[in-house]
Amino acid sequence: MSKKDKSSRGKKHDSELAKGVLEITRSGVGYVVTDSEGGDIFVRPNDFNTALNGDTVRVTVVRENLSNGKREGRVTEVVNRKQSEFMGHIQVSANFAFFIPDSDKPMPDLYIPLDKLNGAKDKDRVLAKITKWDTINKKPEGEIVQVLLAEQESDIAMKGILVENGFPLVFEDDVMEEALRLPDVISASEIKKRKDMRDVLTFTIDPVDARDFDDAISIKKLKADLYEIGVHIADVSHYVTPGSILDDDAYQRATSVYLPDRVNPMLPERISNELCSLRPKEDKLTFSAIFQINLKGNVKDFWLGRTVIHSDHRYSYEDVQEIIEKKEGIYSEEVLLLNDLAQGFRAARFKDGAINFSSTEVRFKLDEKGKPIGIVVKESKEAHQLIEEFMLLANKTVAEYISKVKVNKKEVPFPYRIHDVPDEQKLTPFIAFAVKYGHKFDTSTPEKIASSFNQMLEDVKGKPEQHVLETLGIRTMAKAVYSADNIGHYGLAFEHYCHFTSPIRRYPDVMVHRVLESCLEGAPVFDKKMEEKCKHCSEMERSAMDCERAGNKYKQVEFLKEHIGEEFLGVISGVSGFGFWVETVEHKCEGLVSITGLSDYDDFRLIESEYSLVGRRSGRKFRMGDKVYIKVVSANLAKRQLDFDWVLKPEVDEKLNEETVVKPVPTRGRSKAKGGEKKKRKAE
């Protein structure tokens, strides 16, 4: 190799800047993942420049291999920290203390001044946060936020899930102080600026245990077949103003996080549960979409703007469902009318191409210590659909209005909620699988694909393959995100859509309110950073979903830990080369049946095209959607993993899956599943 060739392999240059997220491996080296075409940038530990795993950073490329395009760089700036709080242990000496984080990703210990221990003693498990770290200091400096008690194992686990995903557990003092300074009383001058809706019948419909009510519905009869129906949303943007400490903190969090035993709120309770919560019998400031709708469900006119309301009644979903079913109760006439309209909107949506996927959610029954003592499957009934349809109508109407606002022929930057068409690489194998069950797909247009999905979902109701086709169908779908580039919402079949209705718990809704207000005032705001903000909110939304999945999984493991050795009926929810996952029918808890344990019955191989494991000798098949009996053999809280054994029941197996499985034929004795293959299914 010539000298010229050698030098080209490691060409040095110190000019190219890139922005991305630093991912640190277990070995300690890092890669900055960027959106640029050049790919990831390798970073050595000495070049992290105070950056930690998950931080958004700017990096300078210092070396590039021209033969393979690989780049090496050094971090020049930490743009945004994913995580500022950490869990770990404290080591206290006579003059100082150090915090040692519990992390599988290398990071330095924190130096803790003795006046920042907050009551922590040597070897205590604690929550700490970074307070200072610059290039001069060898160690980052921090303070102890909270001492974690050993008896609070479940509480610590939930906090750990939040912290690992970048969600602070407490609000800073200056955030709380700013929230406390907000006025309790709504001034007469503020009311004069708004449409006064206080004399119109208004009510909220929420979960029975809800504490923040960010939406309400009003109804007033205008004439025989025409009604004024208002969708009123908490006016968070009135209290949380751009550039304020409250706003900066809310933006960083971007969303509330809902775990089985708690809510980690985006805003302090002073705002979320008091000032902005649309509590009954109180005047509240709102941002509203008010519609004139006839009895056929046709929207004749609408009005958007700021209002003041007075909620007359607070319903739970159960209250409204009882009115719908019994046709009686407080304000039953109005509730039944709203329900009829909502069901009409719902039917029209599906006719227009919205996809009717349904998902199952669970609620944990917890004792006073937060330990799960039962699991209840939540059903989506007409009461839920009533609220859903009117919120969808408001969201769609606001997005359509903004899309028509132009300044010098330019569209106003706006946080649309978008959903792309299905991924062809995922769709093709799914269609091939669905054909085996007699379902045909027209792929000529996105609309035809949606129609085919809906026809399939209708045809499979109550059939053995329903679970597998619904589950796999959902996996073909793109993920909905926020973006200033409006491509429409495929799943809802809306050309224009946004999130307007939940500003207490979602920051994009606050952004929507601000842009809408500026347009209504005739002075649209052009935010050049809108797409960057949308991307941040989408990322935090994904982190919140990761938290919620992890929290649910922990509670599942905690629940079934008390049922080791017991047998349950389940449905195969996933298949891989190292085993299959089973979700219990009764509790919706998912665990792995390892192929190691199955080897005593037969030599099983994965058939990817059929989403199944097939025994070479017996012909026994384990396919997604099949019902099987399992025994709970292990519940690992630290790893949030459940391990099951398949239970052979020849007398019932055939009845469970008459059309889809071959009767099992054992080949040898039975043993419990071995360890080492307890892998989790990737997030859908």
Side-chain angles (χ1 to χ4, degrees):
M1 183 181 291
S2 68
K3 291 182 179 180
K4 183 178 180 181
D5 290 335
K6 287 181 181 179
S7 63
S8 68
R9 289 184 61 189
K11 183 181 178 183
K12 292 185 179 181
H13 56 89
D14 213 11
S15 58
E16 185 181 348
L17 278 172
K19 182 180 175 183
V21 176
L22 177 65
E23 293 186 357
I24 300 175
T25 66
R26 289 175 184 269
S27 64
V29 300
Y31 293 88
V32 175
V33 181
T34 71
D35 293 330
S36 64
E37 295 180 359
D40 301 347
I41 302 169
F42 174 77
V43 183
R44 300 179 189 277
N46 290 337
D47 292 326
F48 288 167
N49 191 21
T50 79
L52 300 173
N53 183 65
D55 289 353
T56 301
V57 300
R58 284 194 175 88
V59 59
T60 297
V61 176
V62 297
R63 188 175 288 104
E64 183 172 5
N65 188 320
L66 298 181
S67 62
N68 57 23
K70 291 184 178 181
R71 298 179 293 171
E72 182 178 333
R74 65 167 178 267
V75 174
T76 58
E77 180 188 357
V78 176
V79 178
N80 183 55
R81 287 211 184 277
K82 177 187 177 183
Q83 189 176 343
S84 60
E85 297 179 349
F86 304 86
M87 286 187 172
H89 293 81
I90 192 77
Q91 290 183 352
V92 183
S93 63
N95 300 314
F96 56 85
F98 275 103
F99 167 81
I100 296 88
D102 296 339
S103 175
D104 59 353
K105 301 296 175 67
M107 67 169 284
D109 301 340
L110 305 186
Y111 166 74
I112 310 291
L114 294 182
D115 62 347
K116 299 294 184 181
L117 284 174
N118 197 19
K121 298 180 178 61
D122 188 43
K123 298 182 181 179
D124 277 353
R125 187 129 191 260
V126 296
L127 176 71
K129 71 174 180 180
I130 296 175
T131 57
K132 181 181 179 183
W133 193 9
D134 53 48
T135 53
I136 299 172
N137 294 330
K138 293 182 180 179
K139 292 276 187 183
E141 189 172 313
E143 67 180 7
I144 303 305
V145 176
Q146 187 178 2
V147 177
L148 305 172
L149 303 177
E151 60 266 26
Q152 299 171 336
E153 182 182 8
S154 178
D155 178 58
I156 292 171
M158 293 297 113
K159 288 176 177 175
I161 288 168
L162 290 164
V163 167
E164 288 163 15
N165 285 280
F167 291 98
L169 299 183
V170 297
F171 291 98
E172 299 285 352
D173 290 343
D174 54 355
V175 176
M176 297 298 288
E177 287 173 12
E178 190 168 276
L180 288 171
R181 286 199 300 268
L182 295 170
D184 287 303
V185 180
I186 301 172
S187 68
S189 60
E190 183 60 40
I191 290 175
K192 283 182 181 179
K193 300 176 187 176
R194 297 168 178 262
K195 187 180 185 72
D196 195 335
M197 301 289 291
R198 289 178 292 179
D199 61 345
V200 181
L201 174 62
T202 304
F203 44 78
T204 58
I205 306 173
D206 292 280
V208 67
D209 56 353
R211 296 174 64 193
D212 59 330
F213 316 127
D214 53 7
D215 58 78
I217 292 181
S218 68
I219 180 168
K220 180 171 75 173
K221 188 172 184 178
L222 299 177
K223 53 186 180 181
D225 67 340
L226 190 66
Y227 287 80
E228 178 190 87
I229 297 172
V231 177
H232 308 286
I233 308 302
D235 192 358
V236 173
S237 62
H238 172 78
Y239 296 97
V240 181
T241 55
S244 64
I245 298 170
L246 272 169
D247 186 51
D248 291 343
D249 189 73
Y251 171 70
Q252 291 302 323
R253 294 169 184 260
T255 180
S256 296
V257 185
Y258 293 83
L259 298 181
D261 61 351
R262 72 196 65 200
V263 177
N264 196 61
M266 182 180 80
L267 294 164
E269 286 191 8
R270 164 77 171 149
I271 297 173
S272 60
N273 293 0
E274 296 177 24
L275 296 177
C276 289
S277 185
L278 307 183
R279 300 185 297 197
K281 312 302 181 185
E282 296 180 14
D283 290 355
K284 293 291 180 180
L285 301 179
T286 45
F287 217 133
S288 304
I290 300 174
F291 304 93
Q292 290 186 14
I293 304 176
N294 66 17
L295 293 176
K296 293 181 180 179
N298 298 319
V299 177
K300 295 298 185 180
D301 199 4
F302 71 88
W303 177 91
L304 302 172
R306 282 183 148 140
T307 53
V308 57
I309 68 164
H310 186 96
S311 176
D312 298 284
H313 190 73
R314 186 226 159 170
Y315 289 109
S316 69
Y317 284 118
E318 291 77 10
D319 296 335
V320 172
Q321 190 62 36
E322 187 174 351
I323 290 173
I324 291 170
E325 292 174 1
K326 294 184 177 179
K327 312 296 183 188
E328 62 182 25
I330 187 170
Y331 305 128
S332 60
E333 183 180 341
E334 290 83 0
V335 169
L336 292 170
L337 173 62
L338 289 168
N339 185 57
D340 287 343
L341 290 171
Q343 290 303 311
F345 294 152
R346 187 174 174 83
R349 273 199 307 114
F350 294 138
K351 186 178 179 181
D352 290 342
I355 302 177
N356 192 14
F357 279 121
S358 59
S359 59
T360 301
E361 294 184 35
V362 298
R363 180 173 59 85
F364 293 88
K365 290 183 178 179
L366 307 173
D367 64 16
E368 64 279 0
K369 294 183 179 180
K371 186 176 181 180
I373 54 177
I375 300 176
V376 179
V377 178
K378 292 193 283 187
E379 294 182 77
S380 177
K381 296 185 177 181
E382 287 182 68
H384 299 84
Q385 294 164 9
L386 187 161
I387 288 297
E388 179 184 15
E389 293 303 325
F390 280 101
M391 297 306 116
L392 289 174
L393 176 62
N395 289 337
K396 179 181 74 166
T397 302
V398 169
E400 286 177 345
Y401 171 80
I402 296 294
S403 72
K404 295 173 183 175
V405 178
K406 302 286 191 298
V407 178
N408 296 326
K409 297 182 180 180
K410 290 184 179 180
E411 294 184 357
V412 178
F414 186 69
Y416 291 98
R417 181 69 168 177
I418 64 168
H419 183 229
D420 209 346
V421 297
D423 184 285
E424 187 176 346
Q425 287 185 329
K426 294 180 180 178
L427 188 62
T428 301
F430 171 76
I431 291 174
F433 182 69
V435 165
K436 297 176 182 178
Y437 291 92
H439 304 288
K440 296 181 180 179
F441 270 71
D442 184 342
T443 59
S444 57
T445 66
E447 292 75 20
K448 294 291 186 183
I449 293 172
S451 178
S452 299
F453 262 117
N454 279 335
Q455 188 61 54
M456 181 200 74
L457 293 168
E458 183 65 31
D459 293 344
V460 299
K461 284 183 179 177
K463 293 184 178 179
E465 67 269 23
Q466 178 179 354
H467 181 81
V468 60
L469 289 174
E470 284 184 342
T471 302
L472 293 175
I474 289 173
R475 293 180 194 172
T476 67
M477 293 290 131
K479 304 300 181 191
V481 296
Y482 300 104
S483 177
D485 180 17
N486 181 31
I487 62 170
H489 197 294
Y490 179 73
L492 293 173
F494 289 159
E495 187 177 351
H496 309 283
Y497 189 65
C498 70
H499 277 166
F500 165 76
T501 52
S502 295
I504 288 177
R505 64 183 179 90
R506 293 187 306 224
Y507 193 81
D509 302 54
V510 179
M511 293 162 61
V512 164
H513 284 209
R514 289 173 180 163
V515 176
L516 176 59
E517 178 64 13
S518 74
C519 291
L520 291 171
E521 290 179 345
V525 172
F526 275 72
D527 189 342
K528 294 180 180 179
K529 294 185 177 181
M530 181 60 73
E531 186 60 31
E532 180 183 326
K533 291 177 180 178
C534 287
K535 184 178 179 182
H536 167 73
C537 290
S538 297
E539 288 171 352
M540 294 308 291
E541 179 187 40
R542 284 193 293 274
S543 294
M545 291 172 65
D546 289 343
C547 285
E548 289 162 20
R549 274 193 286 263
N552 284 338
K553 188 66 183 181
Y554 185 91
K555 290 298 179 187
Q556 289 177 6
V557 176
E558 193 176 17
F559 177 74
L560 282 190
K561 194 173 183 181
E562 303 300 317
H563 297 273
I564 300 291
E566 295 182 32
E567 297 177 5
F568 299 100
L569 176 64
V571 175
I572 296 178
S573 55
V575 181
S576 78
F578 53 81
F580 59 86
W581 289 267
V582 177
E583 183 182 82
T584 62
V585 171
E586 184 179 354
H587 320 103
K588 303 299 177 184
C589 295
E590 189 178 63
L592 177 70
V593 175
S594 170
I595 201 167
T596 307
L598 293 173
S599 63
D600 284 339
Y601 289 96
D602 203 342
D603 183 13
F604 286 90
R605 291 291 182 268
L606 175 66
I607 309 297
E608 288 190 41
S609 61
E610 297 184 3
Y611 302 94
S612 65
L613 286 175
V614 181
R616 287 186 172 181
R617 295 183 297 276
S618 65
R620 166 70 193 187
K621 290 184 179 180
F622 292 108
R623 302 198 302 191
M624 278 191 64
D626 285 352
K627 292 180 180 178
V628 292
Y629 277 93
I630 57 88
K631 178 191 289 186
V632 183
V633 294
S634 173
N636 188 321
L637 279 171
K639 295 182 178 180
R640 299 193 288 270
Q641 290 179 353
L642 288 167
D643 289 286
F644 298 155
D645 270 354
W646 172 50
V647 177
L648 175 62
K649 292 194 175 186
E651 70 280 6
V652 295
D653 250 19
E654 200 166 21
K655 292 180 182 179
L656 288 176
N657 306 289
E658 287 178 347
E659 302 174 11
T660 58
V661 300
V662 178
K663 186 174 179 179
V665 180
T667 58
R668 295 195 300 276
R670 184 74 175 110
S671 68
K672 289 186 177 181
K674 307 292 191 296
E677 294 189 275
K678 303 172 184 177
K679 298 182 181 178
K680 293 193 295 179
R681 176 157 51 91
K682 291 181 179 178
E684 294 174 5

Short mmCIF file of all heavy atoms in Angstrom, two decimals, residues 559-578:
data_model
loop_
_atom_site.label_atom_id
_atom_site.label_comp_id
_atom_site.label_asym_id
_atom_site.label_seq_id
_atom_site.Cartn_x
_atom_site.Cartn_y
_atom_site.Cartn_z
N PHE A 559 -47.10 -9.45 40.10
CA PHE A 559 -48.35 -10.16 40.33
C PHE A 559 -48.17 -11.68 40.23
O PHE A 559 -48.57 -12.43 41.12
CB PHE A 559 -49.41 -9.69 39.34
CG PHE A 559 -50.72 -10.42 39.44
CD1 PHE A 559 -51.59 -10.16 40.50
CD2 PHE A 559 -51.09 -11.37 38.49
CE1 PHE A 559 -52.80 -10.84 40.61
CE2 PHE A 559 -52.29 -12.05 38.60
CZ PHE A 559 -53.15 -11.78 39.66
N LEU A 560 -47.55 -12.13 39.13
CA LEU A 560 -47.41 -13.58 38.92
C LEU A 560 -46.33 -14.20 39.80
O LEU A 560 -46.25 -15.43 39.89
CB LEU A 560 -47.13 -13.87 37.44
CG LEU A 560 -48.34 -13.81 36.51
CD1 LEU A 560 -47.98 -14.36 35.13
CD2 LEU A 560 -49.54 -14.59 37.06
N LYS A 561 -45.53 -13.36 40.46
CA LYS A 561 -44.54 -13.89 41.40
C LYS A 561 -45.23 -14.64 42.53
O LYS A 561 -44.65 -15.55 43.13
CB LYS A 561 -43.69 -12.75 41.95
CG LYS A 561 -42.43 -13.21 42.67
CD LYS A 561 -41.54 -12.02 43.05
CE LYS A 561 -40.26 -12.51 43.70
NZ LYS A 561 -39.39 -11.37 44.10
N GLU A 562 -46.47 -14.25 42.81
CA GLU A 562 -47.26 -14.93 43.85
C GLU A 562 -47.97 -16.16 43.32
O GLU A 562 -48.74 -16.80 44.04
CB GLU A 562 -48.29 -13.94 44.43
CG GLU A 562 -47.70 -12.66 44.99
CD GLU A 562 -46.73 -12.93 46.11
OE1 GLU A 562 -47.03 -13.79 46.97
OE2 GLU A 562 -45.65 -12.28 46.14
N HIS A 563 -47.76 -16.48 42.04
CA HIS A 563 -48.46 -17.62 41.42
C HIS A 563 -47.48 -18.60 40.78
O HIS A 563 -47.84 -19.29 39.81
CB HIS A 563 -49.46 -17.11 40.39
CG HIS A 563 -50.54 -16.24 40.96
ND1 HIS A 563 -51.72 -16.75 41.46
CD2 HIS A 563 -50.61 -14.90 41.14
CE1 HIS A 563 -52.48 -15.75 41.91
NE2 HIS A 563 -51.82 -14.62 41.73
N ILE A 564 -46.24 -18.64 41.30
CA ILE A 564 -45.25 -19.58 40.78
C ILE A 564 -45.79 -21.01 40.96
O ILE A 564 -46.28 -21.38 42.02
CB ILE A 564 -43.90 -19.44 41.51
CG1 ILE A 564 -43.33 -18.04 41.34
CG2 ILE A 564 -42.91 -20.50 41.02
CD1 ILE A 564 -42.88 -17.70 39.95
N GLY A 565 -45.67 -21.80 39.88
CA GLY A 565 -46.13 -23.19 39.94
C GLY A 565 -47.56 -23.38 39.49
O GLY A 565 -48.00 -24.51 39.27
N GLU A 566 -48.30 -22.29 39.34
CA GLU A 566 -49.71 -22.40 38.92
C GLU A 566 -49.82 -22.44 37.40
O GLU A 566 -48.96 -21.93 36.68
CB GLU A 566 -50.53 -21.24 39.49
CG GLU A 566 -50.62 -21.24 41.01
CD GLU A 566 -51.48 -20.12 41.54
OE1 GLU A 566 -52.45 -19.72 40.85
OE2 GLU A 566 -51.19 -19.61 42.65
N GLU A 567 -50.92 -23.04 36.93
CA GLU A 567 -51.14 -23.19 35.49
C GLU A 567 -52.25 -22.26 35.01
O GLU A 567 -53.24 -22.04 35.72
CB GLU A 567 -51.51 -24.64 35.15
CG GLU A 567 -50.40 -25.63 35.48
CD GLU A 567 -50.81 -27.08 35.20
OE1 GLU A 567 -51.93 -27.28 34.66
OE2 GLU A 567 -50.02 -27.99 35.51
N PHE A 568 -52.05 -21.70 33.79
CA PHE A 568 -53.03 -20.79 33.22
C PHE A 568 -53.18 -21.04 31.73
O PHE A 568 -52.25 -21.50 31.07
CB PHE A 568 -52.61 -19.32 33.43
CG PHE A 568 -52.46 -18.92 34.86
CD1 PHE A 568 -51.21 -18.86 35.46
CD2 PHE A 568 -53.58 -18.61 35.64
CE1 PHE A 568 -51.06 -18.49 36.78
CE2 PHE A 568 -53.44 -18.25 36.96
CZ PHE A 568 -52.18 -18.18 37.54
N LEU A 569 -54.36 -20.72 31.23
CA LEU A 569 -54.59 -20.75 29.79
C LEU A 569 -54.03 -19.46 29.19
O LEU A 569 -54.21 -18.37 29.74
CB LEU A 569 -56.09 -20.85 29.49
CG LEU A 569 -56.51 -20.80 28.01
CD1 LEU A 569 -55.95 -22.02 27.26
CD2 LEU A 569 -58.03 -20.74 27.88
N GLY A 570 -53.34 -19.59 28.04
CA GLY A 570 -52.77 -18.42 27.40
C GLY A 570 -52.88 -18.49 25.89
O GLY A 570 -53.32 -19.50 25.32
N VAL A 571 -52.50 -17.39 25.25
CA VAL A 571 -52.48 -17.29 23.79
C VAL A 571 -51.06 -16.95 23.36
O VAL A 571 -50.42 -16.06 23.93
CB VAL A 571 -53.45 -16.20 23.29
CG1 VAL A 571 -53.33 -16.03 21.78
CG2 VAL A 571 -54.88 -16.53 23.67
N ILE A 572 -50.55 -17.67 22.37
CA ILE A 572 -49.20 -17.40 21.87
C ILE A 572 -49.20 -16.03 21.20
O ILE A 572 -49.93 -15.78 20.24
CB ILE A 572 -48.73 -18.49 20.90
CG1 ILE A 572 -48.62 -19.84 21.65
CG2 ILE A 572 -47.39 -18.12 20.27
CD1 ILE A 572 -48.21 -21.00 20.77
N SER A 573 -48.37 -15.11 21.73
CA SER A 573 -48.36 -13.73 21.26
C SER A 573 -47.13 -13.37 20.44
O SER A 573 -47.06 -12.28 19.88
CB SER A 573 -48.46 -12.78 22.47
OG SER A 573 -47.43 -13.06 23.41
N GLY A 574 -46.16 -14.26 20.37
CA GLY A 574 -44.95 -14.00 19.59
C GLY A 574 -44.14 -15.28 19.46
O GLY A 574 -44.20 -16.15 20.34
N VAL A 575 -43.40 -15.39 18.37
CA VAL A 575 -42.62 -16.61 18.11
C VAL A 575 -41.23 -16.20 17.62
O VAL A 575 -41.10 -15.26 16.83
CB VAL A 575 -43.30 -17.50 17.05
CG1 VAL A 575 -42.49 -18.77 16.82
CG2 VAL A 575 -44.72 -17.86 17.47
N SER A 576 -40.21 -16.89 18.11
CA SER A 576 -38.85 -16.63 17.63
C SER A 576 -38.08 -17.94 17.62
O SER A 576 -38.61 -18.99 18.01
CB SER A 576 -38.13 -15.62 18.53
OG SER A 576 -37.69 -16.25 19.71
N GLY A 577 -36.83 -17.86 17.20
CA GLY A 577 -36.01 -19.06 17.14
C GLY A 577 -35.66 -19.63 18.50
O GLY A 577 -35.23 -20.79 18.60
N PHE A 578 -35.81 -18.83 19.58
CA PHE A 578 -35.44 -19.32 20.90
C PHE A 578 -36.64 -19.59 21.80
O PHE A 578 -36.51 -19.77 22.99
CB PHE A 578 -34.46 -18.36 21.59
CG PHE A 578 -34.91 -16.93 21.65
CD1 PHE A 578 -35.81 -16.50 22.61
CD2 PHE A 578 -34.43 -16.02 20.73
CE1 PHE A 578 -36.22 -15.18 22.65
CE2 PHE A 578 -34.83 -14.70 20.77
CZ PHE A 578 -35.73 -14.27 21.74
#
